[in-house]
Amino acid sequence: MNKNISIAMIPLLAGCTEIPNDTTLEQAFYSAAQSSKASTILTVDNFAKVSGYKKRDQYIAEVSYDIRFISSQQNHTISKDARASGLGLHMLSIDYGQYKVGDISSNQQQVIFIKTHAGWRVKA
């Protein structure tokens, strides 16, 4: 009897420990990058998950990626709206200085992913 109960609980426990695979994380990361205001200025390439762990309904991942600028800083004026946005031109110029088309910056940071009804997404 106990053996049957243990076997029956395996699918339940597996659902509780669901973590996104690397491909899912990569797709969610690229989707967030493409939908940001910065997508007209840069692209994200070479995504890789370095490490990660599940914490409640979130997955915290250390990721590495390259930013490739597809526009030069001098082609843009920095408005108050851009300064206020998370990936605004002002923030890019603070982080990367003067950037020009073709410049590449390698980055590594912690990113929080959340499980939604539509799948895993980057937490805004």
Side-chain angles (χ1 to χ4, degrees):
M1 179 74 169
N2 287 342
K3 189 176 187 180
N4 291 338
I5 293 172
S6 297
I7 292 171
M9 292 200 52
I10 289 173
L12 295 174
L13 294 175
C16 294
T17 60
E18 178 190 355
I19 59 171
N21 63 36
D22 292 2
T23 302
T24 300
L25 295 176
E26 181 176 12
Q27 290 171 345
F29 191 79
Y30 284 141
S31 177
Q34 290 172 352
S35 64
S36 77
K37 292 180 181 180
S39 66
T40 60
I41 302 162
L42 58 86
T43 62
V44 177
D45 300 308
N46 302 319
F47 174 91
K49 181 184 87 171
V50 176
S51 63
Y53 60 93
K54 185 156 177 158
K55 184 176 182 181
R56 294 185 290 275
D57 61 343
Q58 300 178 343
Y59 188 76
I60 293 92
E62 185 75 20
V63 300
S64 65
Y65 58 94
D66 293 336
I67 289 176
R68 184 173 48 85
F69 290 94
I70 57 175
S71 182
S72 296
Q73 183 182 26
Q74 60 267 23
N75 295 343
H76 304 282
T77 57
I78 302 173
S79 68
K80 289 182 181 181
D81 290 338
R83 289 186 193 120
S85 67
L87 283 175
L89 297 172
H90 182 67
M91 294 305 298
L92 289 171
S93 63
I94 289 171
D95 288 344
Y96 302 104
Q98 296 282 34
Y99 53 85
K100 62 185 181 308
V101 172
D103 284 354
I104 296 174
S105 172
S106 296
N107 299 274
Q108 185 167 325
Q109 73 179 71
Q110 193 175 73
V111 178
I112 299 172
F113 295 86
I114 56 172
K115 177 77 174 191
T116 69
H117 68 281
W120 289 93
R121 302 286 183 243
V122 172
K123 183 177 181 180

